[in-house]
Amino acid sequence: MSDAYTATARIINQLYGNGTPDKGALAELRRTTAITDKGAEKIWPLIFSAVPKLSTNGKPIKLETAVYTALHCYAAFQQGNDSFVFGQISRTKDKEESRENGVSLFTALRKMKINDPNEKKALDRRVTALLATTNISSATNSINHLVSILKGKKMGEKIDFAQLAEDLYNFQWSTKNARFVALKWGKDYYWNVYKLASDND
């Protein structure tokens, strides 16, 4: 697993605290969207103790941006939920899916679209706009909105926010990398595995 994945998973588990969440830190994460925002300094100790590389010139590096964005999304999604909303995607193909396993953000959005066809048109438009961008600021802004929409549906999905951090980290390296990540997200969002299964019955 990448540094972005490992650091994000570690911080999220610290924030949740085995069912006694750090409410102050989560509130600051919800209120701030970037590591340089006023108030974000209250989260810096958690981040700086978990990530192996830090910026040296005052400008956030790709790792810091990716981790902070994923933490912001986690904090927003956790608000109002007593149960832990973070789950890791199962890495073993033969293992049966469990409610404790997480899904990617875009898999959860696909499920939301299938469960509520009324949302399909608006959601497709938002996701298409996100998949077309190679700009990290535009991408993070769109993802924040999508997380808010998904949260409002209260589907009970556990999201792998650590995987989101890893994707956002990879996204920032080049236009080509951004397109690779967009392709991955697009597959998660558009691949209708449920329809394929029913067609084969």
Side-chain angles (χ1 to χ4, degrees), residues 172-190:
Q172 297 174 74
W173 282 99
S174 66
T175 299
K176 187 176 181 181
N177 275 46
R179 299 309 303 145
F180 287 157
V181 172
L183 178 64
K184 178 177 180 283
W185 290 345
K187 287 175 180 177
D188 283 352
Y189 181 72
Y190 289 112

Side-chain angles (χ1 to χ4, degrees), residues 36 55-60 64:
T36 52
S55 60
T56 56
N57 63 0
K59 182 180 178 183
E64 293 167 331

Side-chain angles (χ1 to χ4, degrees), residues 22-34:
D22 185 337
K23 293 181 180 178
L26 287 168
E28 288 301 334
L29 276 166
R30 285 192 299 272
R31 198 179 62 75
T32 56
T33 57

Side-chain angles (χ1 to χ4, degrees), residues 112-173:
M112 184 189 101
K113 176 176 69 168
I114 291 167
N115 289 341
D116 187 356
N118 293 330
E119 289 284 349
K120 182 182 184 310
K121 192 171 181 182
L123 196 59
D124 281 353
R125 188 169 58 247
R126 283 183 178 273
V127 171
T128 300
L130 167 58
L131 298 180
T133 191
T134 56
N135 179 280
I136 188 61
S137 296
S138 296
T140 55
N141 189 48
S142 294
I143 285 169
N144 289 337
H145 281 93
L146 289 168
V147 167
S148 296
I149 293 167
L150 184 62
K151 176 182 168 52
K153 290 299 175 181
K154 298 182 178 173
M155 292 174 56
E157 289 286 353
K158 289 180 180 288
I159 309 297
D160 195 337
F161 291 101
Q163 182 61 59
L164 177 62
E166 186 174 282
D167 290 344
L168 288 169
Y169 176 69
N170 292 332
F171 185 98
Q172 297 174 74
W173 282 99

Side-chain angles (χ1 to χ4, degrees), residues 93 97 106-111 113-114 124 131 183-197 200:
K93 297 281 185 189
E97 272 195 36
F106 291 87
T107 297
L109 289 166
R110 182 189 72 218
K111 290 180 179 182
K113 176 176 69 168
I114 291 167
D124 281 353
L131 298 180
L183 178 64
K184 178 177 180 283
W185 290 345
K187 287 175 180 177
D188 283 352
Y189 181 72
Y190 289 112
W191 186 46
N192 193 340
V193 66
Y194 305 105
K195 184 176 186 305
L196 289 172
N200 291 329

Side-chain angles (χ1 to χ4, degrees), residues 45-114:
L46 282 173
I47 294 176
F48 297 162
S49 65
V51 297
K53 291 174 252 178
L54 299 170
S55 60
T56 56
N57 63 0
K59 182 180 178 183
I61 60 172
K62 296 173 181 66
L63 182 59
E64 293 167 331
T65 298
V67 170
Y68 202 88
T69 301
L71 292 176
H72 167 78
C73 290
Y74 160 71
F77 208 67
Q78 185 66 62
Q79 186 179 25
N81 276 292
D82 292 327
S83 59
F84 200 20
V85 299
F86 169 61
Q88 294 176 284
I89 296 168
S90 176
R91 304 287 171 177
T92 51
K93 297 281 185 189
D94 57 345
K95 189 174 177 183
E96 200 172 310
E97 272 195 36
S98 151
R99 286 297 291 171
E100 293 308 304
N101 289 342
V103 297
S104 75
L105 172 62
F106 291 87
T107 297
L109 289 166
R110 182 189 72 218
K111 290 180 179 182
M112 184 189 101
K113 176 176 69 168
I114 291 167

